[in-house]
Amino acid sequence: MDTLREDECWELLSSSELARIAFAGAGGVEIFPVNIVVDDRTLVFCTAEGTKLAASAVFHRVAVEADGVDEDTGLAWSVVVKGDAKVLEDFNEIYQAQALPLHPWHPGFKERYVRVEPGEIQGRRFLRGGSETED
Amino acid sequence: MDTLREDECWELLSSSELARIAFAGAGGVEIFPVNIVVDDRTLVFCTAEGTKLAASAVFHRVAVEADGVDEDTGLAWSVVVKGDAKVLEDFNEIYQAQALPLHPWHPGFKERYVRVEPGEIQGRRFLRGGSETED
């Protein structure tokens, strides 16, 4: 198992559309998939208004994970970002987020933009079929 | 977005080798990929001895998520199981887990088997590229 450099982590995250976000909610740990985009070494995603994340504190400690498999080498990778998720409230911030290449949302949904400021980023490359990659 | 029936959730989990497990650790929420196998409506996976999960309490409240895309319909799905993870200590339980079709681990690793007893299972099917699927 290899530890990835920070620039490798960001490169892999940039190539990922899908990630999973986890955070401590009132009913225990929540985890769900999100479409992410990397913007200036932060992660941005949309969440529907009224979801647990949007409805909870404006600042939220989260962990975001993306993984995949390198087709050439057959090696799997996983990157985890831990940081603070902030539901964007400021008009300029929302306007800026709307310009990002995030997938279009469902018409009729009220979307909230969330930006995750990374406090910590860790990545690993490992053989598929091996054990989990936590250290 | 469709809510999946419980039997659909288990069927999708059974077809998944890779999932992600999230739990509240001392340093915040942890999330990492695991290879899972469904056994009698529980989830079983291996974790290396000394990992945060194995080293922490024997019982642990966790959330496990798997997702994928239906090739025929192009619809994505995500299933989340919330429950208690138990690091197997009993010889008979470990023996039983060793018979499961879990991927072989790396030689030399000391593996611990973990079984997640589901308290709650939720699944959703949704358009790819849409917003996140939390309700």
Side-chain angles (χ1 to χ4, degrees), chain A residues 1-10 12-13 43 63-67 77-83 118-126 132-135, chain B residues 27 29-33 52:
Chain A
M1 189 201 310
D2 285 335
T3 301
L4 302 177
R5 296 191 313 273
E6 189 173 338
D7 60 320
E8 290 180 294
C9 291
W10 284 112
L12 288 165
L13 286 175
L43 300 175
V64 180
E65 191 263 1
D67 52 53
W77 58 267
S78 170
V79 173
V80 174
V81 171
K82 292 181 187 175
E120 190 183 320
I121 183 166
Q122 285 190 313
R124 298 177 184 87
R125 192 177 280 122
F126 52 97
E132 53 90 355
T133 61
E134 183 202 13
D135 61 5
Chain B
V29 171
E30 303 289 342
I31 180 171
F32 53 90
K52 285 169 190 156

Side-chain angles (χ1 to χ4, degrees), chain B residues 97-135:
Chain B
Q98 283 175 337
L100 295 172
L102 271 172
H103 278 279
W105 51 93
H106 299 292
F109 265 77
K110 286 193 181 178
E111 295 288 340
R112 305 298 302 270
Y113 286 95
V114 179
R115 189 182 292 270
V116 178
E117 301 276 354
E120 189 183 320
I121 183 165
Q122 285 190 313
R124 298 177 184 86
R125 191 177 281 122
F126 51 97
L127 284 168
R128 291 175 78 181
S131 61
E132 53 90 353
T133 63
E134 186 202 12
D135 60 6

Side-chain angles (χ1 to χ4, degrees), chain B:
Chain B
M1 189 202 308
D2 285 335
T3 301
L4 302 177
R5 295 190 315 272
E6 190 173 336
D7 61 320
E8 290 179 293
C9 291
W10 284 111
E11 197 177 320
L12 288 164
L13 287 175
S14 297
S15 72
S16 305
E17 287 183 359
L18 185 65
R20 294 94 201 159
I21 186 165
F23 61 96
V29 171
E30 303 289 342
I31 180 171
F32 53 90
V34 281
N35 288 313
I36 57 164
V37 66
V38 171
D39 178 47
D40 195 21
R41 296 217 164 178
T42 69
L43 300 175
V44 179
F45 65 90
C46 286
T47 183
E49 196 169 85
T51 58
K52 285 169 190 156
L53 186 60
S56 60
V58 175
F59 290 91
H60 220 103
R61 194 85 185 143
V62 299
V64 181
E65 191 264 359
D67 52 52
V69 175
D70 184 303
E71 293 297 333
D72 295 331
T73 62
L75 293 173
W77 58 267
S78 170
V79 174
V80 175
V81 171
K82 292 182 187 173
D84 290 315
K86 180 189 174 192
V87 180
L88 302 186
E89 304 283 358
D90 178 78
F91 176 79
N92 289 321
E93 289 180 319
I94 293 169
Y95 189 78
Q96 194 187 357
Q98 283 175 337
L100 295 172
L102 271 172
H103 278 279
W105 51 93
H106 299 292
F109 265 77
K110 286 193 181 178
E111 295 288 340
R112 305 298 302 270
Y113 286 95
V114 179
R115 189 182 292 270
V116 178
E117 301 276 354
E120 189 183 320
I121 183 165
Q122 285 190 313
R124 298 177 184 86
R125 191 177 281 122
F126 51 97
L127 284 168
R128 291 175 78 181
S131 61
E132 53 90 353
T133 63
E134 186 202 12
D135 60 6

Side-chain angles (χ1 to χ4, degrees), chain A residues 24-71:
Chain A
V29 171
E30 303 287 342
I31 181 171
F32 53 89
V34 281
N35 288 312
I36 57 163
V37 66
V38 171
D39 179 47
D40 195 21
R41 296 217 164 179
T42 69
L43 300 175
V44 180
F45 65 90
C46 285
T47 184
E49 195 169 85
T51 57
K52 286 169 190 156
L53 185 61
S56 61
V58 174
F59 290 91
H60 220 105
R61 195 85 186 143
V62 299
V64 180
E65 191 263 1
D67 52 53
V69 175
D70 184 303
E71 294 296 334

Side-chain angles (χ1 to χ4, degrees), chain A residues 88 90-100 113:
Chain A
L88 302 185
D90 177 79
F91 175 80
N92 289 322
E93 288 180 320
I94 293 169
Y95 189 77
Q96 194 188 355
Q98 283 175 337
L100 296 172
Y113 286 94

Side-chain angles (χ1 to χ4, degrees), chain A residues 106-127:
Chain A
H106 299 292
F109 265 74
K110 285 193 183 178
E111 295 288 340
R112 305 298 302 271
Y113 286 94
V114 178
R115 189 182 292 270
V116 178
E117 301 276 353
E120 190 183 320
I121 183 166
Q122 285 190 313
R124 298 177 184 87
R125 192 177 280 122
F126 52 97
L127 284 169

